[in-house]
């Protein structure tokens, strides 16, 4: 059986948040005062969910949070996930999204355990600005060391996620272009979405795909790279062939029609969209002793009703029932 929703989209991409704790308090994500809000499950519970979902056609699993590297035992968890097999006998692709603060030490063990790819979030490439955004002093050097250790471990290409806010860090665009070329990483700019704790989002604050391309092109000409149908990022290479950037533009160029994702929150709720206004309590069913068959039935029914699209910027937009850090980005 494969997971398909009522709009004919095939679902093969799973994100699991393994904690909603975070050691950074990025100004566009957190209030700075709120902490963790939801429970964490033992890894064996996420593993059971992942096993059932891989049996239903999931081929890619991304671990996220909160900050996933705060969870002890993540290396063993990756190694257990790496033993799962898709219907055609392959290991699922395993990826990680992290702020990179604790990555330097653990990049090689994660790679050895079966991690395929890592995405590191960085919203500035100068140490002072980085500290202002994360509200943690001296993080930049640790994150840079994490990026370099990941490349060295063969987690290639390392991707860097950067969220731009007008008037705050959009002057970093060209610096990120240089960073992509010098550090041999793929920098991906993500348009800011209304998923923050502080509700500061306005359409004006979003730095759009068109603006990013235009600014970057003043530095060096860009050539668009053909992208897969289900790929969320528009990809560009610099015209001299050195360095790649991508732009994920859910606000100005939504890609809901190609969405192939579902999410599990740290407390075991199934979410079918970042902007869902409710979630589905998979863990409660497990806790009550449901068999794999019952869980499968539940998942199939929930996924069928996946939302058609988000409504960012439309009149009457209803905010998601959780903010990004408590969903898993
Ligand atoms: N702690 C990990 C990290 O920093 O990558 C994983 C969780 S974090 C919530 C995942 C990603 O979501 C980060 O790249 C972050 O910049 C991004 N993010 C957070 N809030 C966002 C928002 N409102 N719009 C777009 N991206 C957001």
């Amino acid at each position: 059986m494969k997971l398909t929703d009522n709009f004919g989209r095939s679902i093969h991409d799973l994100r699991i948040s393994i904690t909603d704790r975070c050691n950074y308090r990025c100004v566009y994500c957190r209030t700075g005062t709120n902490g963790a809000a939801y429970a964490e499950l033992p890894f064996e519970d996420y593993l059971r969910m992942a096993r059932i979902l891989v049996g239903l056609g999931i081929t890619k699993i991304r671990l996220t949070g909160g900050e996933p590297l705060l969870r002890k035992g993540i290396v063993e968890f990756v190694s257990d996930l790496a033993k799962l097999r898709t219907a055609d006998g392959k290991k699922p692709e395993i990826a990680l999204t992290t702020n990179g603060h604790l990555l330097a030490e653990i990049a090689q063990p994660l790679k050895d355990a079966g991690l395929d790819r890592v995405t590191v979030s960085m919203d500035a490439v100068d140490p002072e600005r980085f500290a202002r955004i994360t509200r943690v002093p001296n993080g930049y050097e640790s994150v840079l060391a994490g990026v370099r250790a990941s490349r060295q471990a063969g987690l290639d290409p390392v991707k860097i996620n950067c969220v731009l806010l007008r008037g705050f860090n959009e002057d970093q665009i060209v610096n990120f272009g240089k960073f992509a070329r010098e550090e041999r990483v793929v920098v991906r700019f993500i348009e800011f979405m209304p998923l923050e704790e502080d509700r500061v989002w306005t359409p004006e604050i979003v730095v759009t795909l068109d603006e990013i391309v235009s600014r970057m092109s003043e530095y060096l000409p860009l050539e668009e790279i053909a992208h897969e149908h289900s790929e969320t990022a528009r990809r560009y290479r610099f015209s001299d062939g050195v360095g790649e950037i991508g732009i994920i533009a859910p606000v100005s160029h939504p890609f809901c029609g190609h969405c192939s994702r579902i999410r599990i929150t740290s407390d075991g709720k199934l979410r079918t969209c970042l902007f869902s206004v409710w979630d589905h309590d998979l863990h409660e069913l497990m806790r009550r002793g449901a068999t794999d068959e019952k869980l499968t039935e539940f998942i199939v029914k929930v996924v069928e009703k996946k939302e058609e699209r988000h409504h960012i910027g439309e009149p009457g937009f209803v905010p998601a029932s959780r903010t990004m850090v408590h969903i898993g980005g």
Side-chain angles (χ1 to χ4, degrees), residues 263 265 269-281 302 305-307 318-322 327:
R263 292 178 152 81
T265 60
K269 307 282 200 304
L270 195 58
R271 286 182 76 90
T272 46
C273 175
L274 267 177
F275 291 92
S276 292
V277 290
W278 54 74
D279 37 42
H280 308 270
D281 203 344
V302 165
K305 298 205 185 85
K306 179 174 161 70
E307 295 81 343
V318 181
S321 56
R322 293 189 187 201
I327 299 172

Side-chain angles (χ1 to χ4, degrees), residues 15 21-24 26 28-29 63-68 97-100 119-123 161-163 190-196 201 250 324-326 328-329:
R15 299 191 164 213
R21 287 177 287 137
C22 191
N23 45 352
Y24 280 5
C26 299
Y28 62 88
C29 184
L63 303 183
T64 181
E67 173 45 42
T97 301
T98 170
N99 61 29
T119 299
V120 180
S121 304
M122 295 176 77
D123 304 309
N161 272 358
C162 168
V163 176
I190 308 176
E191 287 178 349
F192 181 46
M193 294 177 276
L195 285 166
E196 72 290 11
W201 189 91
M324 188 68 120
V325 67
H326 304 297

Side-chain angles (χ1 to χ4, degrees), residues 3 21 26 37 72 108 130 137 151-152 158 208 234-235 320:
L3 287 176
R21 287 177 287 137
C26 299
K72 300 236 169 351
Q108 187 68 58
F130 192 85
R151 281 204 56 225
Q152 210 149 20
V158 174
T208 62
R234 306 269 185 112
R235 298 167 57 201

Side-chain angles (χ1 to χ4, degrees), residues 27-28 122-125 129 133 161-177 187-193 201-213 215-216 245-248 251:
V27 289
Y28 62 88
M122 295 176 77
D123 304 309
V125 280
R129 185 79 63 89
I133 294 174
N161 272 358
C162 168
V163 176
L164 295 170
L165 272 70
R166 190 176 310 287
F168 194 67
N169 63 343
E170 94 237 65
D171 60 336
Q172 297 282 306
I173 293 176
V174 169
N175 293 345
F176 268 110
V187 172
R188 300 195 315 179
F189 298 99
I190 308 176
E191 287 178 349
F192 181 46
M193 294 177 276
W201 189 91
T202 61
E204 292 73 35
I205 212 171
V206 180
V207 183
T208 62
L209 178 143
D210 294 344
E211 287 178 80
I212 298 168
V213 170
R215 287 265 192 110
M216 196 65 94
I245 65 157
I247 304 172
I248 302 178
V251 180

